[in-house]
Amino acid sequence: LPLHAAFREGDDQPARLVAAVEHMAPRQPGVANVFYVGFAGDGEQDIFKREELFAQQVLGEHFASDDRSVDLINDNDDRDSYHLATVSGLQQSLKLIASRMDLDQDVLVLMLTSHGSRDGLAVVNGTLPLLQLSPVDLQHALDESGIKWRVVIVSACYSGVFVDALKGDDTL
């Protein structure tokens, strides 16, 4: 089962995320490991999917996180190739990945890309009714996961709306 395991009609998205994280490479003991979560929120334009996948590739090569990553991607034309980018999927992914991390030394890189507004990040996938990702939602998801060391990249208009909610000594 690939890390970007498909979502098919009748599949259980939470169970597929569990399976994807279980298939991640184990962390290397004695060093800080990098774990990656990518989130392409808008499925109407292919640019967000491409940007997230490129970030995953580049960061994977530089930080050896390619086998410790999860891609959450909305794509109106292809709901089968990746996990859906939803607020609940992001929350679950972060909690699952935290269970694989050494929370005192490992680092999460979270890449978010979509259209943005003063309210946060657009989450759109055709006619699926999806909640938008607000700065407070993201802060809660990260805090509830227990992940201490965080690098958060937001590629969207109004990305600055996330700063106040996420700022802290352990977050870049």
Side-chain angles (χ1 to χ4, degrees), residues 3-164:
L3 295 181
H4 62 274
F7 175 76
R8 293 178 188 84
E9 203 63 40
D11 283 345
D12 181 10
Q13 194 72 176
R16 294 181 85 55
L17 282 172
V18 168
V21 172
E22 285 176 353
H23 284 87
M24 282 184 173
R27 64 174 312 282
Q28 296 177 6
V31 297
N33 288 243
V34 174
F35 290 77
Y36 174 89
V37 174
F39 187 96
D42 190 317
E44 293 180 357
Q45 293 179 295
D46 197 44
I47 186 67
F48 300 112
K49 173 182 165 181
R50 290 193 320 263
E51 183 178 22
E52 188 281 318
L53 291 172
F54 181 71
Q56 191 274 344
Q57 176 189 353
V58 170
L59 292 165
E61 291 171 2
H62 283 65
F63 298 109
S65 62
D66 53 342
D67 56 356
R68 284 187 297 279
S69 66
V70 171
D71 300 307
L72 304 171
I73 297 175
N74 288 338
D75 184 338
N76 289 6
D77 299 322
D78 178 8
R79 292 188 188 156
D80 294 333
S81 295
Y82 299 94
H83 298 290
L84 297 179
T86 65
V87 173
S88 61
L90 179 60
Q91 292 167 333
Q92 182 188 14
S93 296
L94 294 173
K95 287 179 184 175
L96 290 167
I97 287 173
S99 71
R100 306 276 299 204
M101 297 174 77
D102 177 336
L103 297 176
D104 291 326
Q105 66 177 0
D106 291 343
V107 177
L108 170 74
V109 175
L110 174 60
M111 167 62 174
L112 305 165
T113 181
S114 189
H115 289 291
S117 71
R118 287 183 167 84
D119 297 323
L121 212 62
V123 182
V124 179
N125 199 347
T127 59
L128 294 176
L130 300 174
L131 298 173
Q132 305 309 291
L133 181 62
S134 74
V136 172
D137 292 335
L138 182 56
Q139 174 199 17
H140 282 68
L142 287 164
D143 290 347
E144 288 177 8
S145 74
I147 297 170
K148 180 178 179 180
W149 302 108
R150 313 161 180 174
V151 176
V152 181
I153 302 163
V154 182
S155 177
C157 291
Y158 296 97
S159 58
V161 301
F162 287 90
V163 171
D164 286 338

